[in-house]
Coordinates of all heavy atoms in Angstrom, one line a residue:
M1 N -13.0 -5.6 0.9 CA -13.5 -6.2 -0.2 C -12.3 -7.1 -0.8 O -11.2 -6.5 -1.0 CB -14.1 -5.3 -1.2 CG -14.4 -5.9 -2.5 SD -15.1 -4.9 -3.7 CE -16.3 -3.9 -2.9
G2 N -12.5 -8.3 -1.0 CA -11.5 -9.1 -1.6 C -11.1 -8.9 -3.0 O -12.1 -8.5 -3.9
M3 N -9.9 -9.0 -3.5 CA -9.5 -8.7 -4.8 C -10.1 -9.7 -5.8 O -10.2 -9.4 -7.0 CB -8.0 -8.7 -4.9 CG -7.3 -7.4 -4.3 SD -7.8 -5.8 -5.0 CE -7.2 -6.0 -6.7
K4 N -10.5 -10.9 -5.3 CA -11.0 -11.9 -6.2 C -12.3 -11.5 -6.8 O -12.6 -11.7 -7.8 CB -11.1 -13.3 -5.4 CG -12.0 -13.3 -4.3 CD -12.0 -14.7 -3.6 CE -13.0 -14.7 -2.6 NZ -12.8 -16.1 -1.8
Y5 N -13.1 -10.7 -6.1 CA -14.4 -10.2 -6.6 C -14.1 -9.1 -7.6 O -14.8 -9.1 -8.7 CB -15.2 -9.6 -5.4 CG -15.6 -10.6 -4.4 CD1 -14.9 -10.8 -3.3 CD2 -16.7 -11.4 -4.7 CE1 -15.2 -11.7 -2.3 CE2 -17.1 -12.4 -3.7 CZ -16.3 -12.6 -2.6 OH -16.8 -13.6 -1.8
V6 N -13.1 -8.2 -7.4 CA -12.8 -7.3 -8.4 C -12.2 -8.0 -9.7 O -12.6 -7.6 -10.8 CB -11.8 -6.3 -7.9 CG1 -11.3 -5.3 -9.0 CG2 -12.3 -5.5 -6.6
A7 N -11.4 -8.9 -9.4 CA -10.8 -9.7 -10.5 C -11.9 -10.5 -11.4 O -11.9 -10.5 -12.6 CB -9.7 -10.7 -10.0
A8 N -12.8 -11.0 -10.6 CA -13.9 -11.8 -11.4 C -14.8 -10.8 -12.2 O -15.2 -11.0 -13.3 CB -14.7 -12.5 -10.4
Y9 N -15.0 -9.6 -11.6 CA -15.8 -8.5 -12.3 C -15.1 -8.2 -13.5 O -15.6 -8.0 -14.6 CB -16.0 -7.3 -11.3 CG -16.9 -6.4 -11.9 CD1 -18.2 -6.3 -11.7 CD2 -16.5 -5.3 -12.7 CE1 -19.1 -5.4 -12.2 CE2 -17.3 -4.3 -13.2 CZ -18.6 -4.3 -13.0 OH -19.5 -3.4 -13.5
L10 N -13.7 -7.9 -13.5 CA -13.0 -7.5 -14.6 C -12.9 -8.6 -15.7 O -12.9 -8.3 -16.9 CB -11.5 -7.0 -14.2 CG -11.5 -5.7 -13.4 CD1 -10.2 -5.5 -12.9 CD2 -12.0 -4.5 -14.2
M11 N -12.8 -9.8 -15.3 CA -12.8 -11.0 -16.2 C -14.1 -11.1 -16.9 O -14.0 -11.3 -18.1 CB -12.5 -12.3 -15.4 CG -11.1 -12.4 -15.0 SD -10.7 -13.8 -14.0 CE -11.2 -15.1 -15.0
A12 N -15.2 -10.7 -16.3 CA -16.5 -10.8 -16.9 C -16.6 -9.6 -18.0 O -17.1 -9.8 -19.1 CB -17.7 -10.6 -15.9
V13 N -16.1 -8.4 -17.6 CA -16.1 -7.3 -18.5 C -15.2 -7.7 -19.7 O -15.5 -7.4 -20.9 CB -15.5 -6.0 -17.9 CG1 -15.3 -4.9 -18.9 CG2 -16.5 -5.5 -16.8
L14 N -14.0 -8.2 -19.5 CA -13.1 -8.7 -20.6 C -13.7 -9.7 -21.5 O -13.5 -9.8 -22.7 CB -11.8 -9.1 -20.1 CG -10.9 -8.1 -19.6 CD1 -9.7 -8.7 -18.8 CD2 -10.4 -7.1 -20.6
G15 N -14.7 -10.4 -21.0 CA -15.4 -11.5 -21.8 C -16.5 -10.9 -22.5 O -17.2 -11.6 -23.1
G16 N -16.8 -9.7 -22.4 CA -17.8 -9.1 -23.2 C -19.0 -8.6 -22.4 O -19.9 -8.0 -23.0
N17 N -19.1 -8.9 -21.1 CA -20.3 -8.4 -20.3 C -19.9 -7.1 -19.8 O -19.2 -7.0 -18.9 CB -20.5 -9.4 -19.2 CG -21.8 -9.1 -18.4 OD1 -22.4 -8.2 -18.5 ND2 -22.1 -10.1 -17.6
E18 N -20.6 -5.9 -20.3 CA -20.2 -4.7 -19.9 C -20.7 -4.3 -18.4 O -20.0 -3.4 -17.8 CB -20.9 -3.6 -20.8 CG -20.2 -3.6 -22.2 CD -18.8 -3.2 -22.1 OE1 -18.4 -2.2 -21.4 OE2 -18.0 -3.7 -22.8
S19 N -21.7 -5.0 -17.9 CA -22.2 -4.7 -16.5 C -22.4 -6.0 -15.9 O -23.6 -6.5 -15.9 CB -23.4 -3.7 -16.5 OG -24.4 -4.3 -17.3
P20 N -21.4 -6.8 -15.3 CA -21.7 -8.1 -14.7 C -22.5 -7.9 -13.5 O -22.5 -6.8 -12.8 CB -20.3 -8.4 -14.4 CG -19.4 -7.6 -15.3 CD -20.0 -6.4 -15.5
S21 N -23.3 -8.9 -13.1 CA -24.1 -9.0 -12.0 C -23.3 -9.8 -10.9 O -22.4 -10.5 -11.2 CB -25.4 -9.6 -12.3 OG -25.3 -11.0 -12.7
A22 N -24.0 -9.9 -9.7 CA -23.3 -10.7 -8.7 C -23.4 -12.1 -9.0 O -22.5 -12.9 -8.7 CB -24.2 -10.4 -7.4
E23 N -24.3 -12.5 -9.9 CA -24.4 -13.9 -10.2 C -23.4 -14.3 -11.2 O -22.8 -15.3 -11.3 CB -25.8 -14.2 -10.9 CG -26.1 -15.6 -11.3 CD -26.1 -16.6 -10.1 OE1 -26.6 -16.1 -9.0 OE2 -25.8 -17.7 -10.3
D24 N -23.0 -13.3 -12.0 CA -21.9 -13.6 -13.0 C -20.5 -13.6 -12.2 O -19.7 -14.6 -12.6 CB -21.7 -12.3 -14.0 CG -22.9 -12.2 -14.9 OD1 -23.5 -13.2 -15.4 OD2 -23.3 -11.0 -15.2
I25 N -20.3 -12.8 -11.2 CA -19.1 -13.0 -10.3 C -19.2 -14.4 -9.7 O -18.1 -15.1 -9.6 CB -19.1 -11.9 -9.3 CG1 -19.0 -10.5 -10.0 CG2 -18.0 -12.2 -8.3 CD1 -19.1 -9.3 -9.2
K26 N -20.4 -14.8 -9.2 CA -20.5 -16.1 -8.5 C -20.1 -17.3 -9.5 O -19.4 -18.2 -9.1 CB -22.0 -16.4 -8.1 CG -22.1 -17.6 -7.3 CD -23.5 -17.7 -6.8 CE -23.7 -19.0 -6.0 NZ -25.0 -19.2 -5.4
K27 N -20.5 -17.2 -10.7 CA -20.2 -18.2 -11.7 C -18.6 -18.3 -11.9 O -18.0 -19.4 -12.0 CB -20.8 -17.9 -13.1 CG -22.3 -18.3 -13.2 CD -22.7 -18.0 -14.7 CE -24.2 -18.0 -14.8 NZ -24.6 -17.6 -16.2
I28 N -18.0 -17.1 -12.1 CA -16.6 -17.1 -12.3 C -15.8 -17.7 -11.0 O -15.0 -18.5 -11.1 CB -16.1 -15.7 -12.5 CG1 -16.6 -15.3 -13.9 CG2 -14.5 -15.6 -12.5 CD1 -16.3 -13.8 -14.2
L29 N -16.2 -17.2 -9.8 CA -15.5 -17.7 -8.6 C -15.8 -19.1 -8.4 O -15.0 -20.0 -7.9 CB -15.9 -16.9 -7.4 CG -15.4 -15.5 -7.5 CD1 -15.8 -14.6 -6.2 CD2 -13.9 -15.4 -7.6
S30 N -17.0 -19.7 -8.6 CA -17.4 -21.1 -8.5 C -16.6 -21.9 -9.4 O -16.3 -23.1 -9.2 CB -18.8 -21.4 -8.4 OG -19.4 -21.1 -9.8
S31 N -16.3 -21.4 -10.5 CA -15.5 -22.2 -11.6 C -14.1 -22.6 -11.1 O -13.5 -23.5 -11.6 CB -15.4 -21.5 -12.9 OG -14.5 -20.4 -12.9
V32 N -13.5 -21.9 -10.2 CA -12.3 -22.1 -9.5 C -12.4 -22.6 -8.1 O -11.5 -22.6 -7.4 CB -11.3 -20.9 -9.7 CG1 -11.0 -20.7 -11.2 CG2 -11.8 -19.7 -9.0
E33 N -13.6 -23.0 -7.7 CA -14.0 -23.4 -6.5 C -13.5 -22.5 -5.3 O -12.9 -22.9 -4.3 CB -13.3 -24.9 -6.3 CG -13.7 -25.8 -7.3 CD -13.0 -27.2 -7.2 OE1 -12.2 -27.3 -6.2 OE2 -13.3 -28.1 -7.9
S34 N -13.7 -21.2 -5.5 CA -13.5 -20.2 -4.5 C -14.7 -19.9 -3.7 O -15.9 -20.1 -4.2 CB -13.1 -19.0 -5.2 OG -12.7 -17.9 -4.3
D35 N -14.5 -19.5 -2.5 CA -15.6 -19.1 -1.7 C -16.4 -17.9 -2.3 O -15.7 -17.1 -2.9 CB -15.3 -18.7 -0.2 CG -14.5 -19.9 0.5 OD1 -14.9 -21.1 0.1 OD2 -13.7 -19.7 1.4
F36 N -17.6 -17.7 -1.9 CA -18.5 -16.6 -2.5 C -19.3 -16.0 -1.4 O -19.9 -16.7 -0.7 CB -19.2 -17.1 -3.6 CG -20.2 -15.9 -4.2 CD1 -19.6 -15.1 -5.1 CD2 -21.5 -15.9 -3.9 CE1 -20.3 -14.0 -5.6 CE2 -22.3 -15.0 -4.5 CZ -21.7 -13.9 -5.3
D37 N -19.3 -14.7 -1.3 CA -20.0 -14.0 -0.3 C -21.0 -13.0 -1.1 O -20.5 -12.0 -1.8 CB -19.2 -13.2 0.6 CG -19.9 -12.5 1.7 OD1 -21.2 -12.4 1.6 OD2 -19.3 -11.9 2.6
E38 N -22.2 -13.3 -1.1 CA -23.3 -12.6 -1.9 C -23.2 -11.0 -1.5 O -23.3 -10.2 -2.4 CB -24.5 -13.0 -1.7 CG -25.7 -12.3 -2.4 CD -25.8 -12.7 -3.9 OE1 -25.5 -13.8 -4.3 OE2 -26.1 -11.8 -4.6
E39 N -22.9 -10.7 -0.2 CA -23.0 -9.3 0.2 C -21.8 -8.5 -0.5 O -22.0 -7.4 -0.8 CB -22.9 -9.3 1.7 CG -23.0 -8.0 2.3 CD -22.8 -7.9 3.8 OE1 -23.1 -8.9 4.4 OE2 -22.3 -6.9 4.3
I40 N -20.7 -9.2 -0.5 CA -19.5 -8.4 -1.0 C -19.6 -8.3 -2.6 O -19.5 -7.1 -3.1 CB -18.2 -9.2 -0.8 CG1 -17.9 -9.2 0.6 CG2 -17.0 -8.6 -1.5 CD1 -16.7 -10.1 1.1
A41 N -20.1 -9.3 -3.2 CA -20.4 -9.1 -4.6 C -21.5 -8.1 -4.9 O -21.3 -7.3 -5.9 CB -20.7 -10.5 -5.2
S42 N -22.5 -8.1 -4.2 CA -23.6 -7.2 -4.5 C -23.1 -5.7 -4.2 O -23.5 -4.7 -5.0 CB -24.8 -7.4 -3.6 OG -25.4 -8.6 -3.9
K43 N -22.2 -5.5 -3.2 CA -21.7 -4.1 -2.9 C -20.8 -3.7 -4.0 O -20.9 -2.5 -4.5 CB -20.9 -4.2 -1.6 CG -20.3 -3.0 -1.1 CD -19.7 -3.1 0.2 CE -19.1 -1.8 0.6 NZ -18.3 -1.9 1.9
L44 N -20.0 -4.6 -4.6 CA -19.2 -4.3 -5.7 C -20.0 -3.8 -7.0 O -19.8 -2.8 -7.5 CB -18.2 -5.4 -6.1 CG -17.4 -5.2 -7.4 CD1 -16.4 -4.0 -7.2 CD2 -16.7 -6.5 -7.6
V45 N -21.0 -4.7 -7.2 CA -21.8 -4.4 -8.4 C -22.6 -3.1 -8.3 O -22.7 -2.4 -9.1 CB -22.8 -5.6 -8.7 CG1 -23.8 -5.3 -9.7 CG2 -22.0 -6.9 -9.1
S46 N -23.1 -2.9 -7.1 CA -23.9 -1.6 -6.9 C -23.0 -0.4 -6.9 O -23.4 0.8 -7.4 CB -24.6 -1.6 -5.5 OG -23.8 -1.7 -4.5
G47 N -21.7 -0.6 -6.4 CA -20.8 0.6 -6.5 C -20.4 0.9 -7.9 O -20.0 2.1 -8.2
L48 N -20.4 0.0 -8.7 CA -20.0 0.2 -10.1 C -21.1 0.4 -11.1 O -20.9 0.6 -12.3 CB -19.0 -1.0 -10.6 CG -17.8 -1.1 -9.9 CD1 -17.0 -2.3 -10.3 CD2 -16.9 0.1 -10.2
E49 N -22.3 0.4 -10.6 CA -23.5 0.5 -11.4 C -23.5 1.8 -12.1 O -23.2 2.8 -11.6 CB -24.8 0.3 -10.6 CG -26.1 0.1 -11.4 CD -27.3 -0.2 -10.4 OE1 -27.0 -0.6 -9.3 OE2 -28.4 0.1 -10.9
G50 N -23.8 1.8 -13.4 CA -23.8 3.0 -14.2 C -22.5 3.6 -14.7 O -22.4 4.6 -15.2
K51 N -21.4 2.8 -14.3 CA -20.1 3.2 -14.7 C -19.4 2.2 -15.6 O -19.8 1.0 -15.5 CB -19.2 3.4 -13.4 CG -19.7 4.4 -12.4 CD -18.8 4.3 -11.2 CE -19.5 5.3 -10.1 NZ -18.7 5.1 -8.9
T52 N -18.6 2.6 -16.5 CA -17.8 1.6 -17.2 C -16.4 1.4 -16.5 O -16.0 2.3 -15.9 CB -17.5 2.1 -18.7 OG1 -16.6 3.3 -18.6 CG2 -18.8 2.4 -19.4
V53 N -15.9 0.2 -16.8 CA -14.5 -0.1 -16.1 C -13.5 0.9 -16.5 O -12.7 1.3 -15.7 CB -14.1 -1.5 -16.4 CG1 -12.8 -1.8 -16.0 CG2 -15.2 -2.5 -15.8
H54 N -13.5 1.3 -17.8 CA -12.6 2.3 -18.3 C -12.6 3.6 -17.7 O -11.6 4.2 -17.3 CB -12.8 2.4 -19.8 CG -12.8 1.1 -20.6 ND1 -11.6 0.4 -20.7 CD2 -13.7 0.5 -21.3 CE1 -11.8 -0.7 -21.4 NE2 -13.1 -0.7 -21.8
E55 N -13.9 4.1 -17.3 CA -14.0 5.3 -16.6 C -13.4 5.2 -15.1 O -12.8 6.1 -14.6 CB -15.5 5.7 -16.4 CG -16.2 6.1 -17.8 CD -17.6 6.4 -17.6 OE1 -18.2 5.9 -16.6 OE2 -18.1 6.9 -18.5
V56 N -13.7 4.0 -14.5 CA -13.3 3.9 -13.1 C -11.7 3.8 -13.1 O -11.1 4.3 -12.3 CB -13.8 2.5 -12.5 CG1 -13.3 2.2 -11.2 CG2 -15.5 2.7 -12.4
V57 N -11.1 3.0 -14.1 CA -9.7 2.9 -14.1 C -9.1 4.3 -14.4 O -8.1 4.7 -13.7 CB -9.2 1.9 -15.2 CG1 -7.7 2.0 -15.4 CG2 -9.7 0.5 -14.8
A58 N -9.7 5.1 -15.2 CA -9.0 6.4 -15.5 C -9.1 7.3 -14.3 O -8.1 8.1 -14.1 CB -9.8 7.1 -16.8
A59 N -10.2 7.2 -13.6 CA -10.4 8.1 -12.4 C -9.4 7.6 -11.3 O -8.8 8.4 -10.7 CB -11.8 7.9 -11.9
G60 N -9.1 6.4 -11.3 CA -8.2 5.8 -10.2 C -6.8 6.3 -10.6 O -5.9 6.6 -9.8
K61 N -6.5 6.4 -12.0 CA -5.2 6.7 -12.3 C -5.0 8.3 -12.0 O -3.8 8.7 -11.6 CB -4.9 6.5 -13.9 CG -4.7 5.1 -14.2 CD -4.6 5.0 -15.7 CE -3.3 4.7 -16.3 NZ -3.2 4.4 -17.7
E62 N -5.9 9.0 -12.2 CA -5.9 10.4 -11.7 C -5.5 10.6 -10.2 O -4.8 11.5 -9.8 CB -7.1 11.2 -12.3 CG -7.2 11.4 -13.7 CD -6.1 12.2 -14.3 OE1 -5.7 13.3 -13.7 OE2 -5.5 11.8 -15.4
K63 N -6.2 9.8 -9.4 CA -6.0 9.9 -8.1 C -4.6 9.5 -7.7 O -4.0 10.0 -6.8 CB -7.0 8.9 -7.3 CG -8.4 9.5 -7.4 CD -9.3 8.5 -6.5 CE -10.8 9.0 -6.6 NZ -11.6 8.1 -5.9
L64 N -4.0 8.5 -8.4 CA -2.7 8.0 -8.1 C -1.6 9.0 -8.3 O -0.5 9.0 -7.7 CB -2.5 6.7 -8.7 CG -3.1 5.5 -8.3 CD1 -2.8 4.2 -9.1 CD2 -2.6 5.2 -6.8
K65 N -1.9 10.0 -9.4 CA -1.0 11.0 -9.6 C -0.5 11.9 -8.5 O 0.5 12.4 -8.3 CB -1.5 11.8 -10.8 CG -1.5 11.1 -12.1 CD -1.9 12.1 -13.2 CE -1.9 11.4 -14.6 NZ -2.4 12.3 -15.6
G66 N -1.5 12.0 -7.6 CA -1.3 12.9 -6.4 C -0.3 12.3 -5.3 O 0.1 12.9 -4.5
F67 N -0.1 11.0 -5.4 CA 0.7 10.2 -4.4 C 2.2 10.5 -4.8 O 3.1 10.2 -4.0 CB 0.4 8.8 -4.4 CG -0.7 8.3 -3.8 CD1 -2.0 8.1 -4.4 CD2 -0.9 8.3 -2.4 CE1 -3.0 7.7 -3.8 CE2 -1.9 8.0 -1.7 CZ -3.1 7.7 -2.5
G68 N 2.5 11.0 -5.9 CA 4.0 11.2 -6.2 C 4.5 9.8 -6.8 O 3.7 9.0 -7.2
G69 N 5.7 9.7 -6.8 CA 6.3 8.5 -7.3 C 7.0 7.6 -6.2 O 6.8 7.9 -5.1
G70 N 7.5 6.5 -6.7 CA 8.2 5.7 -5.8 C 9.5 6.1 -5.6 O 9.8 7.3 -5.4
G71 N 10.4 5.3 -5.6 CA 11.9 5.6 -5.5 C 12.5 5.6 -6.8 O 13.4 4.9 -7.2
G72 N 12.0 6.4 -7.7 CA 12.4 6.4 -9.1 C 13.8 7.1 -9.4 O 14.3 7.2 -10.5
G73 N 14.4 7.6 -8.4 CA 15.8 8.0 -8.6 C 15.7 9.5 -8.6 O 14.7 10.1 -8.7
G74 N 17.0 10.1 -8.7 CA 17.0 11.6 -8.8 C 17.3 12.1 -10.1 O 17.2 11.2 -11.1
A75 N 17.6 13.4 -10.3 CA 17.9 13.9 -11.6 C 19.3 13.5 -12.0 O 20.1 13.1 -11.2 CB 17.7 15.4 -11.4
A76 N 19.4 13.5 -13.2 CA 20.7 13.1 -13.8 C 21.8 14.2 -13.5 O 21.6 15.3 -13.4 CB 20.6 13.1 -15.4
A77 N 23.0 13.6 -13.1 CA 24.1 14.5 -12.7 C 24.7 15.2 -14.0 O 24.8 14.6 -15.1 CB 25.2 13.7 -12.0
P78 N 25.2 16.4 -13.9 CA 25.9 17.0 -15.0 C 27.2 16.1 -15.4 O 27.8 15.5 -14.6 CB 26.3 18.4 -14.4 CG 25.6 18.6 -13.2 CD 25.1 17.2 -12.7
A79 N 27.5 16.3 -16.6 CA 28.6 15.6 -17.2 C 29.9 15.8 -16.5 O 30.7 15.0 -16.3 CB 28.7 15.9 -18.7
A80 N 30.2 17.1 -16.1 CA 31.5 17.4 -15.4 C 31.7 16.8 -14.1 O 32.8 16.4 -13.8 CB 31.6 19.0 -15.4
A81 N 30.6 16.8 -13.4 CA 30.6 16.2 -12.1 C 30.6 14.7 -12.1 O 31.0 13.9 -11.3 CB 29.4 16.6 -11.2
A82 N 30.2 14.1 -13.2 CA 30.2 12.7 -13.4 C 31.6 12.0 -13.3 O 31.8 11.0 -12.8 CB 29.5 12.2 -14.7
G83 N 32.5 12.7 -13.9 CA 33.9 12.1 -13.9 C 34.5 12.2 -12.4 O 35.1 11.1 -12.0
A84 N 34.3 13.2 -11.8 CA 34.8 13.2 -10.3 C 34.0 12.1 -9.5 O 34.6 11.5 -8.6 CB 34.5 14.6 -9.7
T85 N 32.7 12.0 -9.7 CA 32.0 11.0 -8.9 C 32.4 9.6 -9.3 O 32.6 8.7 -8.3 CB 30.5 11.1 -9.2 OG1 30.0 12.5 -9.1 CG2 29.7 10.2 -8.5
T86 N 32.9 9.3 -10.4 CA 33.2 7.9 -10.8 C 34.6 7.6 -10.1 O 34.8 6.4 -9.6 CB 33.5 7.9 -12.4 OG1 32.3 8.3 -13.0 CG2 33.8 6.5 -12.8
A87 N 35.5 8.6 -10.0 CA 36.8 8.3 -9.3 C 36.5 8.1 -7.8 O 37.2 7.2 -7.2 CB 37.7 9.5 -9.5
G88 N 35.6 8.8 -7.3 CA 35.3 8.6 -5.8 C 34.6 7.3 -5.6 O 34.9 6.5 -4.6
A89 N 33.8 6.9 -6.6 CA 33.1 5.6 -6.5 C 34.1 4.4 -6.5 O 33.9 3.4 -5.8 CB 32.0 5.4 -7.5
A90 N 35.1 4.6 -7.4 CA 36.1 3.5 -7.6 C 36.9 3.3 -6.2 O 37.1 2.1 -5.9 CB 37.0 3.9 -8.7
K91 N 37.2 4.4 -5.6 CA 37.9 4.2 -4.2 C 37.1 3.5 -3.2 O 37.5 2.7 -2.6 CB 38.4 5.6 -3.8 CG 39.5 6.3 -4.5 CD 39.9 7.6 -3.9 CE 41.0 8.3 -4.8 NZ 41.3 9.5 -4.3
E92 N 35.8 3.9 -3.2 CA 34.9 3.3 -2.3 C 34.8 1.8 -2.6 O 34.7 1.0 -1.7 CB 33.5 4.0 -2.3 CG 33.5 5.3 -1.7 CD 32.2 6.0 -1.8 OE1 31.2 5.3 -2.0 OE2 32.0 7.2 -1.8
E93 N 34.8 1.5 -3.9 CA 34.6 0.1 -4.3 C 35.8 -0.7 -3.8 O 35.6 -1.9 -3.3 CB 34.5 0.0 -5.7 CG 34.0 -1.3 -6.3 CD 33.7 -1.3 -7.7 OE1 32.9 -0.4 -8.1 OE2 34.2 -2.2 -8.4
K94 N 37.0 -0.1 -4.0 CA 38.2 -0.9 -3.4 C 38.1 -1.1 -1.9 O 38.5 -2.2 -1.5 CB 39.5 0.0 -3.8 CG 39.8 -0.1 -5.2 CD 41.1 0.6 -5.5 CE 41.5 0.5 -6.9 NZ 42.7 1.4 -7.3
K95 N 37.8 -0.1 -1.2 CA 37.6 -0.3 0.2 C 36.6 -1.4 0.6 O 36.9 -2.2 1.5 CB 37.1 1.0 0.9 CG 38.2 2.1 0.9 CD 37.6 3.3 1.6 CE 38.7 4.5 1.6 NZ 38.1 5.7 2.2
A96 N 35.5 -1.5 -0.1 CA 34.5 -2.5 0.1 C 35.1 -3.9 -0.1 O 34.9 -4.8 0.6 CB 33.4 -2.3 -0.7
V97 N 35.8 -4.1 -1.2 CA 36.5 -5.2 -1.5 C 37.4 -5.8 -0.4 O 37.5 -6.9 0.0 CB 37.2 -5.3 -2.9 CG1 38.0 -6.5 -3.2 CG2 36.2 -5.0 -4.0
V98 N 38.2 -4.8 0.1 CA 39.2 -5.1 1.2 C 38.5 -5.6 2.5 O 38.9 -6.6 3.1 CB 40.2 -3.8 1.5 CG1 41.0 -4.2 2.7 CG2 41.0 -3.5 0.3
E99 N 37.4 -4.9 2.7 CA 36.6 -5.4 3.9 C 36.2 -6.8 3.7 O 36.1 -7.6 4.7 CB 35.5 -4.4 4.2 CG 35.9 -3.0 4.7 CD 34.8 -2.0 4.8 OE1 33.6 -2.5 4.7 OE2 35.0 -1.0 4.9
E100 N 35.7 -7.1 2.6 CA 35.1 -8.5 2.4 C 36.2 -9.5 2.5 O 35.9 -10.6 3.1 CB 34.5 -8.6 0.9 CG 33.2 -7.8 0.8 CD 32.7 -7.8 -0.7 OE1 33.2 -8.6 -1.4 OE2 31.8 -7.1 -0.8
E101 N 37.5 -9.2 2.0 CA 38.6 -10.2 2.2 C 38.9 -10.4 3.6 O 39.2 -11.5 4.0 CB 39.7 -9.6 1.4 CG 39.6 -9.7 -0.1 CD 40.8 -9.0 -0.9 OE1 41.7 -8.5 -0.2 OE2 40.6 -9.0 -2.0
E102 N 38.9 -9.3 4.4 CA 39.1 -9.5 5.9 C 38.1 -10.4 6.5 O 38.4 -11.2 7.4 CB 39.2 -8.2 6.6 CG 40.4 -7.4 6.1 CD 40.3 -5.9 6.7 OE1 39.4 -5.6 7.5 OE2 41.2 -5.1 6.3
E103 N 36.9 -10.3 6.1 CA 35.9 -11.1 6.8 C 36.0 -12.6 6.3 O 35.8 -13.4 7.2 CB 34.4 -10.7 6.3 CG 34.1 -9.3 6.8 CD 32.7 -8.8 6.3 OE1 32.2 -9.5 5.6 OE2 32.4 -7.6 6.6
E104 N 36.5 -12.8 5.2 CA 36.6 -14.2 4.7 C 37.8 -14.9 5.5 O 37.9 -16.1 5.7 CB 37.0 -14.2 3.3 CG 35.8 -13.9 2.4 CD 36.1 -13.8 0.9 OE1 37.2 -14.1 0.5 OE2 35.3 -13.4 0.2
D105 N 38.8 -14.1 6.0 CA 39.9 -14.7 6.7 C 39.6 -15.2 8.2 O 40.4 -15.7 8.8 CB 41.1 -13.7 6.7 CG 41.7 -13.5 5.4 OD1 41.5 -14.4 4.5 OD2 42.3 -12.5 5.2
M106 N 38.5 -14.9 8.6 CA 38.0 -15.2 10.0 C 38.0 -16.7 10.2 O 37.5 -17.3 9.3 CB 36.7 -14.5 10.4 CG 36.8 -13.0 10.4 SD 35.3 -12.2 10.7 CE 35.0 -12.7 12.3
D107 N 38.4 -17.2 11.4 CA 38.3 -18.5 11.7 C 37.0 -18.8 12.4 O 37.1 -19.1 13.7 CB 39.6 -19.0 12.6 CG 40.8 -19.0 11.7 OD1 40.8 -19.3 10.5 OD2 41.9 -18.8 12.3
F108 N 35.9 -18.7 11.7 CA 34.7 -18.9 12.3 C 33.9 -19.9 11.4 O 33.8 -19.7 10.3 CB 34.0 -17.5 12.4 CG 32.6 -17.7 12.9 CD1 32.3 -17.8 14.3 CD2 31.4 -17.5 12.0 CE1 31.0 -17.9 14.7 CE2 30.2 -17.5 12.5 CZ 29.9 -17.8 13.9
D109 N 33.4 -20.9 12.1 CA 32.6 -21.9 11.4 C 31.2 -22.0 12.0 O 31.1 -22.4 13.1 CB 33.3 -23.3 11.3 CG 32.7 -24.3 10.5 OD1 31.7 -23.9 9.7 OD2 33.0 -25.5 10.7
L110 N 30.2 -21.6 11.2 CA 28.9 -21.5 11.8 C 28.4 -22.9 12.1 O 27.7 -23.1 13.1 CB 28.0 -20.9 10.6 CG 26.5 -20.7 11.1 CD1 26.4 -19.7 12.2 CD2 25.7 -20.2 9.9
F111 N 28.8 -23.9 11.4 CA 28.2 -25.2 11.7 C 29.2 -26.2 12.4 O 28.9 -27.4 12.5 CB 27.7 -25.9 10.3 CG 26.8 -25.1 9.7 CD1 27.1 -24.3 8.5 CD2 25.4 -25.0 10.2 CE1 26.1 -23.5 7.9 CE2 24.5 -24.2 9.5 CZ 24.8 -23.5 8.3
G112 N 30.4 -25.7 12.8 CA 31.4 -26.6 13.4 C 31.4 -26.4 14.8 O 31.5 -27.0 15.7

């Protein structure tokens, strides 16, 4: 199912229509000269029949909780270990800078 149908449905709800029909979705999509498939719109409307958008969104949020998180990072490091880590990071940073300088000294011209 295309996201444009879901977006049109949600726009109709935001516009005050609590249960948009396939015809309402068609009006919204035709206003931006988008293609319209009656079968997809009817499937969406029948799937959401008797439900409010707020209930569907809340149920979806509950399902997403089971997926865990993204790459949100790890736990905070203890303060005592933070000082040692900073010194180690500074040494690594110096090494990285030295490597970059060596690369710049190369006699290589990509376009020459």
Side-chain angles (χ1 to χ4, degrees):
M1 174 181 313
M3 287 300 294
K4 65 183 179 183
Y5 295 94
V6 176
Y9 187 92
L10 291 172
M11 286 174 59
V13 170
L14 288 172
N17 186 350
E18 288 297 319
S19 57
S21 65
E23 188 62 34
D24 296 325
I25 295 172
K26 182 177 182 178
K27 280 184 194 177
I28 292 170
L29 292 178
S30 65
S31 72
V32 294
E33 299 176 2
S34 179
D35 296 334
F36 178 77
D37 185 350
E38 180 73 33
E39 183 180 335
I40 294 172
S42 297
K43 184 177 177 181
L44 174 65
V45 170
S46 66
L48 294 173
E49 190 174 341
K51 301 175 186 174
T52 67
V53 171
H54 304 294
E55 291 172 349
V56 174
V57 170
K61 284 176 110 175
E62 288 299 316
K63 288 180 182 178
L64 288 175
K65 286 182 181 178
F67 283 102
T85 305
T86 306
K91 287 182 183 178
E92 289 178 23
E93 194 173 306
K94 285 184 181 179
K95 288 180 183 177
V97 171
V98 172
E99 289 174 13
E100 289 177 12
E101 290 173 3
E102 290 174 9
E103 291 174 6
E104 291 174 5
D105 292 338
M106 294 177 63
D107 291 329
F108 176 74
D109 186 9
L110 183 63
F111 301 106

